């Protein structure tokens, strides 16, 4: 049981890119200066809103404890590891603490999506929100993703503990509740390879600057310049002028950093390395997205 709980907790628990012209990249807006309470009051400003509540942690729980005392966990986020007892269609199933016994206490699991079926008697780690099962309440939370359940299942679990799952992790450590990313195009694969080299390269450049190691800084900057030169091929012919500019600006900065490092000009390095990071961050913010599986892909901008 400890090992399965650890799996559940583990489940919970670049610089790079592209882009700019011969001019400076778009400037990031600066935050306005903070007002003191006295100045806000003097200006007649509305009192600041209270901060948003922090996300709840996922509480490890056993199926039998959850089934026996659902009120203690309702509307809380939990994680549990248990055996699949029975499947109800494509995205609903029940879990039991011990697959070898016909225990009366089981818990219904409802997932908006499962990319593959769960295996009866196989162990899964489920992470999600606990509700006392009521079809109307669950439907309001899950919207169109509410599984279609037969009448006998609706009747059996009415008022009992259920979990609306955000993760269903099988023995192969695959999260079945996450959408699989679409296959990359050859262009995207090439860009991904370049970014996976540029990211560590930039981190190594920062470390060299911290250590005032001019030779290492020059070597890393030279590799970054090569990476940005290759990345330019991805953007060529695409209607993303800002990306093309950010990429070119990053390439020129890497070139300037190489020259400065060759002269041990650390004052210039301390100015140009943050500029390079800013160029990467600007492009990432516009053209990179994180998918359900944790990987990053090129994001088409909204039209």
């Amino acid at each position: 049981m400890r090992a399965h709980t650890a799996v559940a907790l583990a489940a919970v628990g670049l610089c790079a890119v592209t882009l700019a012209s011969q001019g400076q990249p778009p400037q990031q807006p600066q935050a306005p200066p903070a007002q003191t309470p006295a100045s806000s009051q003097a200006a007649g400003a509305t009192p600041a809103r209270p901060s948003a509540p922090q996300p709840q942690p996922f509480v490890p729980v056993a199926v039998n404890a959850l089934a026996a005392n659902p009120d203690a966990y309702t509307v809380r986020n939990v994680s549990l590891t248990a055996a699949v007892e029975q499947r109800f269609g494509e995205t609903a199933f029940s879990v039991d603490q011990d697959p070898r016994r016909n225990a009366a206490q089981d818990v219904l699991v409802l997932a908006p999506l499962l990319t593959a079926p769960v295996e009866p008697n196989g162990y899964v780690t489920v992470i999600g929100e606990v509700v006392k099962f009521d079809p109307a309440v669950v439907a309001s939370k899950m919207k169109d993703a509410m599984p279609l359940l037969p009448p006998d299942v609706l009747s059996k679990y009415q008022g009992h503990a259920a979990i609306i799952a955000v993760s269903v992790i099988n023995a192969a450590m695959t999260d079945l509740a996450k959408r699989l990313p679409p296959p990359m195009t050859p262009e995207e694969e090439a860009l991904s390879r370049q970014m996976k080299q540029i990211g560590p390269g930039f981190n190594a450049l920062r470390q060299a600057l911290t250590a005032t190691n001019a030779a290492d800084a020059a070597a890393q900057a030279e590799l970054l310049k090569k990476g940005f030169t290759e990345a330019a091929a991805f953007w060529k012919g695409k209607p993303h002028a800002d990306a093309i500019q950010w990429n070119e600006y990053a390439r020129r900065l890497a070139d300037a950093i190489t020259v400065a490092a060759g002269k041990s000009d650390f004052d210039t390095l301390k100015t140009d390395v943050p500029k390079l990071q800013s160029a990467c961050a600007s492009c990432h913010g516009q053209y990179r997205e994180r998918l359900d599986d944790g990987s990053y892909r090129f994001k088409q901008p909204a039209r």
Side-chain angles (χ1 to χ4, degrees):
M1 184 61 201
R2 289 181 180 174
H4 294 302
T5 302
V7 171
L9 295 175
V12 178
L14 294 156
C15 175
V17 349
T18 79
L19 329 201
S21 82
Q22 309 182 10
Q24 295 292 327
Q27 301 236 343
Q28 301 299 320
Q30 294 184 350
Q35 289 184 315
T36 62
S39 64
S40 295
Q41 250 184 347
T46 303
R49 295 179 181 177
S51 58
Q54 294 299 310
Q56 295 183 37
F58 290 95
V59 178
V61 65
V63 170
N64 50 9
L66 176 57
N69 189 16
D71 290 336
Y73 300 96
T74 299
V75 198
R76 296 186 69 182
N77 297 322
V78 302
S79 64
L80 60 81
T81 299
V84 176
E85 183 180 71
Q86 189 174 356
R87 292 197 303 241
F88 307 114
E90 295 182 354
T91 60
F93 59 95
S94 61
V95 289
D96 198 342
Q97 202 62 45
D98 189 342
R100 297 167 298 181
R101 299 185 309 176
N102 293 322
Q105 291 184 323
D106 58 356
V107 170
L108 179 65
V109 177
L110 307 161
L113 165 81
L114 289 179
T115 58
V118 294
E119 296 298 327
N121 297 328
Y123 276 89
V124 293
T125 296
V126 176
I127 302 170
E129 179 188 352
V130 175
V131 296
K132 291 186 77 170
F133 182 68
D134 177 277
V137 172
V138 173
S140 69
K141 286 179 174 288
M142 299 187 70
K143 309 300 182 185
D144 295 336
M146 167 74 175
L148 183 62
L149 300 173
D152 60 324
V153 175
L154 296 174
S155 175
K156 175 182 177 180
Y157 291 101
Q158 179 72 39
H160 291 261
I163 299 176
I164 300 176
V166 295
S167 289
V168 177
I169 303 166
N170 63 13
M173 293 301 293
T174 299
D175 191 343
L176 304 176
K178 303 299 184 187
R179 295 186 185 278
L180 298 176
M184 287 187 183
T185 65
E187 280 185 313
E188 290 172 331
E189 288 179 350
L191 181 65
S192 177
R193 286 193 299 271
Q194 291 148 7
M195 293 301 102
K196 287 176 181 177
Q197 293 173 353
I198 291 173
F202 179 78
N203 290 333
L205 172 61
R206 292 180 61 185
Q207 291 170 5
L209 177 58
T210 300
T212 62
N213 186 332
D216 196 18
Q220 296 302 332
E222 188 65 34
L223 291 174
L224 289 173
K225 182 174 71 172
K226 179 176 181 291
F228 290 122
T229 300
E230 293 175 352
F234 176 82
W235 302 103
K236 187 176 181 180
K238 289 184 171 59
H240 309 316
D242 52 355
I244 294 170
Q245 291 177 347
W246 278 318
N247 190 85
E248 176 61 14
Y249 180 63
R251 187 194 67 79
R252 288 175 175 272
L253 277 172
D255 190 30
I257 290 168
T258 303
V259 173
K263 300 176 180 178
S264 295
D265 183 357
F266 286 97
D267 288 337
T268 297
L269 293 179
K270 289 176 182 178
T271 299
D272 285 354
V273 170
K275 288 181 181 177
L276 180 57
Q277 182 174 15
S278 178
C280 292
S282 296
C283 189
H284 287 170
Q286 183 73 10
Y287 293 106
R288 186 180 74 161
E289 64 179 338
R290 189 177 189 275
L291 302 185
D292 280 350
D293 68 343
S295 65
Y296 289 93
R297 292 287 186 88
F298 165 67
K299 178 179 69 174
Q300 289 283 0
R303 297 185 183 277

